[in-house]
């Protein structure tokens, strides 16, 4: 199915997977708007794309409901409607074991990774219900499918919450023509690696997934006809274990 003319709102669009998905969807013909907390990063992505439809951007904090409301008011005005929502905003912290994690970091991880996705989905669903059509893609993590020590206790818990949120909403809204897909990437070369307790070298970064790999998958999901739904999908580096 052609994506020409489809509208996309992408959270976490200033770096990493979000930036890669924004460019890929724009190249596929979508009119794309990105959001994030750092305007300079959003501007870099927008300026890097020279296609027919410019990538629009606006700063927003998905953990703040007032900020989300402002974002959607702006996006609805600029895009006309939101056909596709991609939730890509996500963070992690350096001290991430149960022994070390600070309670305030736990709260921050849950607010951004889980509640942030709830806030944006809650904001977009009324218009999708009215049209009986819409696609929501949640960029989760394999840490939201299998608890692992690498992600840390707060990150894993927040991604499990995001998984449950997407699964529940997908079941609840399917008869209204709304599809929700949870994408579970393994290791990806993104700035979130900078929050690793142990530094990640260049060789390792080159071996794992690149943002463009996940972006290709997202475009493929978006191109499916409304009758076809991918509830969950894992994408990981060939060499990464998953069990």
């Amino acid at each position: 199915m052609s994506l020409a003319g489809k509208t996309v709102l992408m959270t976490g669009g200033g770096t990493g997977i979000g930036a890669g998905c924004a460019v890929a969807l724009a190249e596929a013909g979508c009119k794309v708007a990105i959001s994030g907390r750092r305007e300079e990063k959003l501007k870099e992505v927008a300026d890097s794309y020279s296609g027919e439809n410019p990538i629009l951007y606006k700063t927003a904090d998905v953990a703040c409901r007032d900020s989300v409301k402002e974002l959607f008011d702006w996006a609805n005005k600029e895009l006309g409607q939101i056909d596709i929502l991609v939730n890509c905003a996500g963070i992690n912290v350096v001290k991430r074991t149960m022994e070390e994690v600070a309670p305030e970091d736990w709260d921050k991880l849950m607010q951004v990774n889980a509640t942030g996705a709830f806030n944006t989905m809650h904001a977009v669903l009324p218009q999708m219900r009215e049209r009986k059509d819409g696609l929501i893609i949640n960029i989760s993590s394999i840490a939201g499918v299998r608890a692992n020590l690498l992600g840390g206790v707060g990150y894993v818990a927040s991604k499990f919450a995001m998984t449950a949120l997407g699964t529940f909403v997908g079941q609840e809204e399917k008869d209204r023509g709304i599809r929700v897909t949870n994408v579970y990437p393994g290791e990806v070369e993104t700035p979130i690696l900078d929050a690793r307790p142990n530094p990640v070298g260049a060789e390792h970064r080159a071996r794992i997934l690149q943002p463009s790999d996940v972006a290709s998958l997202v475009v493929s999901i978006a191109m499916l006809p409304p009758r076809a739904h991918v509830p969950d999908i894992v994408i990981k580096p060939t060499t990464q274990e998953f069990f």
Side-chain angles (χ1 to χ4, degrees):
M1 189 180 73
S2 172
L3 292 177
K6 290 289 185 179
T7 59
V8 179
L9 177 59
M10 169 100 46
T11 69
T15 60
I17 295 173
C21 289
V23 171
L25 286 164
E27 288 176 342
C30 295
K31 186 175 181 181
V32 178
I34 59 175
S35 72
R37 290 175 295 173
R38 294 175 293 173
E39 184 173 6
E40 68 277 9
K41 293 297 182 182
L42 299 172
K43 188 176 185 302
E44 284 177 13
V45 175
D47 289 347
S48 72
Y49 180 71
S50 57
E52 182 179 352
N53 292 318
I55 294 177
L56 310 176
Y57 66 91
K58 180 176 174 58
T59 57
D61 180 357
V62 295
C64 172
R65 292 198 175 104
D66 288 341
S67 181
V68 169
K69 183 181 184 307
E70 290 178 7
L71 171 64
F72 276 80
D73 287 345
W74 169 83
N76 286 322
K77 180 179 178 181
E78 293 292 333
L79 300 176
Q81 66 183 40
I82 299 167
D83 297 314
I84 302 169
L85 169 68
V86 184
N87 280 315
C88 202
I91 61 169
N92 206 346
V93 295
V94 176
K95 294 184 177 180
R96 55 182 68 172
T97 66
M98 187 65 180
E99 182 180 12
E100 293 182 311
V101 68
E104 55 269 26
D105 281 342
W106 167 276
D107 291 343
K108 181 168 66 174
L109 287 163
M110 296 300 291
Q111 287 163 1
V112 174
N113 297 350
T115 302
F118 168 84
N119 289 340
T120 58
M121 291 170 72
H122 190 267
V124 82
L125 280 168
Q127 63 172 277
M128 291 184 171
R129 291 182 187 123
E130 185 176 349
R131 296 193 306 269
K132 297 186 181 302
D133 182 66
L135 174 63
I136 298 171
I137 300 177
N138 293 325
I139 306 299
S140 182
S141 167
I142 60 170
V145 184
R146 303 279 193 276
N148 60 65
L149 296 177
L150 183 62
V153 63
Y155 185 81
V156 167
S158 67
K159 289 300 185 178
F160 262 76
M162 189 184 198
T163 295
L165 171 68
T167 301
F168 181 90
V169 175
Q171 292 175 357
E172 187 175 64
E173 300 293 343
K174 63 181 177 58
D175 293 330
R176 294 184 174 115
I178 300 168
R179 296 167 292 155
V180 182
T181 297
N182 289 331
V183 178
Y184 309 109
E187 286 190 282
V188 186
E189 161 62 309
T190 72
I192 204 168
L193 292 182
D194 298 335
R196 284 276 179 88
N198 299 310
V200 178
E203 183 179 347
H204 183 87
R205 288 175 181 264
R207 187 171 60 247
I208 60 178
L209 294 176
Q210 303 302 303
S212 59
D213 301 328
V214 183
S216 295
L217 177 60
V218 167
V219 171
S220 296
I221 293 168
M223 291 182 72
L224 290 171
R227 65 175 178 270
H229 175 217
V230 179
D232 303 270
I233 189 164
V234 173
I235 178 172
K236 69 173 190 65
T238 302
T239 56
Q240 184 178 3
E241 292 184 341
F242 179 68
F243 54 84

